[in-house]
Amino acid sequence: MRETFPMRGAAEARIYSRDIGRPRAAPAPRRASLPPVVFVLGLMAALAALLGLRQAIVRNVPQMAGLYAAIGAPVNLVGLDLREVRSRLVVEGERKVLSVEGEIVNLRRDATPAPPLLVTVRGEDGRDRYAWTVRPQKSQLAPGEKIPFRARLVSPPADGADVLVRFALR
């Protein structure tokens, strides 16, 4: 409700009014905004930290390895790589023998322990049919060193479709 007071003359043509029963709203607090440059620099620093610390992050949160691989920055916690892996079926006498060969390469600048290899025969459906471990020829590899490995399985599963070789980590 507005109250108005009568005007007293042309010189005093002001209207006086007041709101009755309505509390005044406090003015909204003013937010301090960061300049966009500071925001972008902070974002870039955070991304650099996520990339630079990716080994430590994956060591603590292994599920992040897939994300890093998806963006083209895979993480290798072992420091070793398997190269030139090939498998073939060989007939020796009356038995079939699965032969798996390849190389283990040390990617680090220091000596690295070589864990056992886990060799898995999988079926067409991707399920494991048979798995076994193979110890490398050496237990430790010098910087940049390559060593061959060989695994054999007499009478492999008849429904085996492919072979997967990886490091048997704890």
Side-chain angles (χ1 to χ4, degrees):
M1 170 184 218
R2 268 182 195 237
E3 289 182 25
T4 57
F5 297 95
M7 290 191 217
R8 292 195 187 143
E12 293 183 42
R14 286 186 265 170
I15 299 177
Y16 297 94
S17 68
R18 61 186 163 127
D19 291 331
I20 298 175
R22 285 192 202 163
R24 286 191 177 196
R30 188 176 169 136
R31 292 184 180 168
S33 62
L34 291 176
V37 173
V38 174
F39 175 75
V40 169
L41 289 175
L43 185 62
M44 288 174 54
L47 289 173
L50 285 173
L51 285 174
L53 299 172
R54 68 181 187 259
Q55 287 198 345
I57 291 170
V58 170
R59 191 173 290 116
N60 292 311
V61 186
Q63 298 84 356
M64 292 291 289
L67 175 66
Y68 282 111
I71 63 170
V75 179
N76 183 336
L77 294 178
V78 180
L80 302 171
D81 192 19
L82 297 170
R83 295 189 181 160
E84 299 186 32
V85 177
R86 57 201 169 280
S87 63
R88 59 190 169 114
L89 278 175
V90 181
V91 178
E92 292 181 356
E94 296 179 13
R95 307 186 287 189
K96 287 184 181 177
V97 177
L98 174 64
S99 177
V100 182
E101 300 173 354
E103 292 178 337
I104 302 172
V105 181
N106 185 0
L107 303 174
R108 293 187 177 153
R109 295 182 187 143
D110 52 350
T112 304
L117 299 174
L118 178 63
V119 183
T120 307
V121 177
R122 299 187 303 184
E124 287 287 338
D125 59 358
R127 297 175 120 183
D128 295 354
R129 297 294 188 256
Y130 188 80
W132 75 102
T133 57
V134 178
R135 295 225 178 263
Q137 294 175 356
K138 295 175 76 174
S139 61
Q140 189 143 337
L141 277 68
E145 182 178 11
K146 295 180 192 178
I147 60 168
F149 73 86
R150 184 174 183 194
R152 294 171 45 93
L153 177 63
V154 176
S155 300
D159 61 344
D162 69 341
V163 177
L164 175 68
V165 181
R166 59 188 167 197
F167 294 104
L169 303 173
R170 294 181 202 114

